[in-house]
Structures are given as structure tokens and as C-alpha cells.
Amino acid sequence: MKIVFMGTPDFSVPILEGILEENWEVVGVVTQPDRPKGRKKILTPPPVKQAAEVHGIPVLQPKTLKKEENVQAVLDLHPDVIITAAFGQLLPESLLSAPPYKAVNVHASLLPKYRGGAPIHQAVIDGEEKSGVTIMYMEKEMDAGGILARREVAITEVDTAGTLHDKLSAAGRNLLLETLPRLADQQITSEPQDSQEATFAPNIKRGREKINWNEPGHVIYNQVRGMNPWPGAYTTYKGKPIKIWETRKTHVSSAKETAPGTILALEEDGIVTAAADDTAVIITSLQPSGKKAMKAADYLRGSHELKPGERFNGDENNV
């Protein structure tokens, strides 16, 4: 069975490598174009391209699959099946319907929950206790195709988007490798999704990164870990942005008498900050503007700028 693999970020790499380790025939890889990266804007190939080149696999990098010639370039590889995992572009119907075994996607949620581009972030932000991966047929509507297999993965209280990403990538690899032989032997049937149970996880936009201290402490805690390691939750202090990388939930009796966002105390391991509903969080890792990420304890030893009684986002009425 000839496979065209379509993927882009780190999430996709273990899945591609698993297919190769099991000696499936990958006739081509389709990924996103190289992008400028870092402060120096060095043009950098996506992780999947780097992995494919190690194995000598032909790589296509179309800016868009809306152009007929780009679709034809994929079809010219004569795939029996297309496998996608975090590719980053929608596939046209002409590509979905062409392979004999159709197009199959590895999606990082338990569909129909969390369709869309940021299911890992959203599951952590929402405080979910479990997520998972789904192998499903692709169709025109995003993440709505018939389900071939699913596997649950627990989300712990200390998981971040980064740690859950790694868990789900490994789970997706293993589940796909279990599913592929049954797909090739036509010994598998798909289960339609119940669209009424669908929820959505759109890509993270800039406005969602900012902490709203008028939310309860547990909501802020989940937002911070759901934005770690990318794109990073942030707040402001005296008009300057500060990224918040880690927090800890806490109970502080004085929080109920204090405006949300107020710095209640500077403790040895962090910055105690009031939230809504009489709750608080302790900021334990942060990144001031123009500096590297650091433990809050290290920051407090080297800076005396933060003062109890003042407010994060105070210059913006805490929104």
C-alpha cells in the first residue's frame, strides 16, 4: 500500500517515523513551506521535512492545495492512501476521493469533541481530565469524517499543552500502526460521528493569551498551562507585558477583600495574586519583557519592581 504522508510540526514526526519503522511504503511527504524562525528569521524547514529527508523521501511543500497543479503533484505519486497528522491545510475533495483507501487523519482529540486546529490547548484550558486521539476518514467538513479508532489519554493536574502534545503524538503513532493493517486488509469499518455532540477548538488568537484576572483562580491556572509552551499566557504590569509560564493554585483568605489582579504577597517561591471568587494563584515562573523565562524566586531576588497592593493589568482596568 503506497502512502503519501501529510504533516508539518513535531507532533507529526513520531507518526511518520512509526510508519517507516513498520516498513510501510511512503512514496512522498507533503508539508508546509519553510518559514523564518527565531529572532534572526532564519529560513527553517518544518520538522516533518527534516525527518523525511533523513529517509530520502521526496518532499512537496505547496503554499496552498487550492491550486490544481499542486493537487496533481500529489496525485502523480499514485498513493493508495493519504495519511495526515497536523498538516495545517484543508484538503480539496479531489484529493480526498482519489486514493483507493481514501484519506485518513490522526486527530489529537476524542472526536467529535474538539474539532479544529487547537484541540490540545483547548482540552487543557478547559480543565479536561482526559483527551485522546482519533483515527478517522477525512471529508470536506473539518474533522467530521467517520471514526476508525479512538484511544483515551489521561490529562493530569500538572500537564501542560506541551506534555499532553507528547502523550498524544505517541498515542497517535501507536494507534495508527494498529489501524493500518486492518485498513489495508479492508477489515475495518468506520463509525459516523454524532454532529450534535461536536465541540470546537479554533486556533489560538492573540487575545486569548492575555490573562483575565476577573476569572477564578482555577481558570487562570488552566489557561497558563494550556498556553505552555506556546504561545504563552501573559499579563501586564505598568504597561509592560510579562509572560506567565507556571502558576500554582492556592487559598488566601484576604483574596476575597481584594480586587482581582492585585499582588497580595511576594513569597519565597512566587507572586501571590488575587483572582475572582475569593481565589488566588501563585506565579512561580515568568518572563519579563525582553528577558528570558525564569523562576519567580530568581526574578524576585534580582528585581524589586513588583510591590504588594499593586495590580497586574491595572493600567487597563484588569481586562
Side-chain angles (χ1 to χ4, degrees), residues 7 180 190 261 282:
L180 270 178
S190 64
I282 300 177

Side-chain angles (χ1 to χ4, degrees), residues 74-300:
V74 179
L75 295 178
D76 287 345
L77 296 169
H78 304 292
D80 294 310
V81 65
I82 292 172
I83 296 174
T84 71
F87 172 52
Q89 293 187 38
L90 293 175
L91 273 61
E93 288 186 86
S94 58
L95 202 52
L96 296 177
S97 59
Y101 292 84
K102 302 181 181 180
V104 173
N105 183 43
V106 182
H107 184 75
S109 81
L110 296 173
L111 291 172
K113 290 195 70 173
Y114 296 123
R115 296 176 180 176
I120 298 175
H121 294 80
Q122 197 62 53
V124 178
I125 291 169
D126 289 349
E128 297 280 6
E129 295 181 354
K130 67 179 181 181
S131 182
V133 289
T134 302
I135 311 294
M136 30 78 72
Y137 282 126
M138 299 182 72
E139 58 181 46
K140 184 178 180 180
E141 185 179 354
M142 180 181 289
D143 300 326
I147 294 171
L148 297 169
R150 297 198 307 170
R151 178 159 296 162
E152 288 187 5
V153 172
I155 304 177
T156 71
E157 181 77 0
V158 295
D159 268 323
T160 64
T163 60
L164 182 59
H165 167 282
D166 293 347
K167 288 181 181 181
L168 294 179
S169 179
R173 173 192 185 277
N174 295 337
L175 186 59
L176 178 66
L177 295 181
E178 293 172 17
T179 305
L180 270 178
R182 293 189 293 147
L183 181 67
D185 293 339
Q186 298 183 316
Q187 298 296 316
I188 191 169
T189 56
S190 64
E191 173 189 342
Q193 295 187 41
D194 184 349
S195 295
Q196 292 184 339
E197 294 184 2
T199 60
F200 297 89
N203 291 329
I204 302 297
K205 294 183 178 180
R206 178 67 176 169
R208 296 186 61 203
E209 299 167 24
K210 188 172 183 181
I211 294 172
N212 180 357
W213 294 100
N214 292 304
E215 296 283 3
H218 74 276
V219 173
I220 294 170
Y221 173 79
N222 289 337
Q223 178 188 5
V224 169
R225 64 195 185 103
M227 297 282 181
N228 182 350
W230 183 90
Y234 79 98
T235 186
T236 62
Y237 183 73
K238 295 184 178 179
K240 295 181 180 180
I242 301 177
K243 289 227 175 189
I244 307 298
W245 291 115
E246 294 177 2
T247 63
R248 191 171 75 245
K249 291 181 287 186
T250 188
H251 296 283
V252 180
S253 58
S254 60
K256 63 183 179 181
E257 303 168 356
T258 310
T262 300
I263 300 170
L264 298 173
L266 304 178
E267 297 188 346
E268 184 175 344
D269 66 338
I271 303 155
V272 185
T273 307
D277 295 344
D278 306 340
T279 61
V281 297
I282 300 177
I283 299 169
T284 58
S285 179
L286 74 166
Q287 184 175 359
S289 180
K291 298 182 179 180
K292 295 181 179 180
M294 64 187 78
K295 293 294 183 182
D298 295 333
Y299 172 76
L300 292 174

